[in-house]
Amino acid sequence: MTCLHSEMSELFGKSVTLPELLSPAGGLKALEAAIEGGADAVYIGGTSFNARMNAENFNAENIEYAVNLAHRYCVKIYQTINTLVFDRELKDFLKSAEKSAQAGVDAFIVADLGAAAMLHKYLPEIPLHASTQLSAHNSAAGGILQKLGFSRMVPARELSYENIKSIVHNNPLEIEIFIHGALCVSHSGQCLFSSV
């Protein structure tokens, strides 16, 4: 099976760069809908170290199934590990991340710089995406994040078009932009502020 990007390149006889359509999936039905709807990638949360712990999420077995299903359709799986990790949680954090890496996730979406450093050290083959909860909102942050091992950043959702354009053109990282979904009422990515 070939992927849509490959088919587009063959159709036009040259390499075509299309934006990645990334969709959230809280459970298997949402994952299937995202794949059927044409997503290039899907982000999911596990049962721990995930900012959406009160929502439906994937356990270790479901993550493996999700990865296998998505990859069958040339869809990538990014796992959110986007909470702050305490020292006492590091062993469980790394064990959980290692299981997901073995299952074949394509990247981790991370909010904690210490946790990112641990992932970069112990699982260097897995790309790191800087979560919007990491609060990187300008192109200068991209240079710092690149040095820390990140390949992508997700800036604040409330940025203006001009700000986004500047970040995209003056940044060494891939940029992921939210175009739909819940907006925080306080400061993007700082969900606890919004909940207050």
Side-chain angles (χ1 to χ4, degrees):
M1 169 183 281
T2 60
C3 299
L4 177 60
H5 291 282
S6 299
E7 291 172 4
M8 293 291 289
S9 294
E10 290 172 18
L11 179 67
F12 292 108
K14 60 181 179 178
S15 179
V16 176
T17 302
L18 299 174
E20 176 184 76
L21 178 59
L22 173 61
S23 175
L28 290 174
K29 286 188 186 284
L31 172 65
E32 291 166 356
I35 292 169
E36 191 173 314
D40 300 303
V42 177
Y43 67 91
I44 64 173
T47 55
S48 58
F49 308 107
N50 164 15
R52 299 186 69 231
M53 290 305 301
N54 295 329
E56 183 181 359
N57 290 298
F58 290 78
N59 61 31
E61 293 76 33
N62 285 350
I63 288 174
E64 186 171 358
Y65 174 81
V67 168
N68 289 332
L69 176 66
H71 286 177
R72 203 172 316 140
Y73 293 95
C74 300
V75 174
K76 294 179 180 180
I77 294 286
Y78 305 146
Q79 183 177 349
T80 57
I81 308 181
N82 57 349
T83 59
L84 299 179
V85 181
F86 294 102
D87 288 350
R88 66 180 179 275
E89 298 174 318
L90 279 176
K91 185 187 263 186
D92 290 337
F93 170 78
L94 288 172
K95 203 179 296 183
S96 174
E98 184 176 31
K99 282 182 186 174
S100 294
Q102 290 170 348
V105 298
D106 297 287
F108 290 125
I109 302 170
V110 187
D112 183 314
L113 289 178
M118 297 296 281
L119 290 171
H120 192 59
K121 178 177 180 180
Y122 292 106
L123 298 167
E125 70 282 2
I126 307 290
L128 299 178
H129 297 179
S131 169
T132 188
Q133 292 181 287
L134 203 143
S135 296
H137 305 313
N138 57 45
S139 53
I144 294 167
L145 291 171
Q146 184 183 45
K147 289 176 186 171
L148 297 174
F150 287 89
S151 61
R152 177 184 292 189
M153 73 180 236
V154 187
R157 288 171 260 192
E158 69 271 8
L159 292 175
S160 70
Y161 171 76
E162 287 304 317
N163 289 140
I164 293 170
K165 188 175 173 183
S166 175
I167 289 171
V168 168
H169 292 295
N170 300 301
N171 198 308
L173 301 179
E174 294 178 350
I175 302 298
E176 177 183 318
I177 303 294
F178 279 89
I179 59 168
H180 186 271
L183 290 176
C184 296
V185 297
S186 176
H187 188 269
S188 185
Q190 302 306 308
C191 302
L192 289 177
F193 288 148
S194 292
S195 70
V196 174

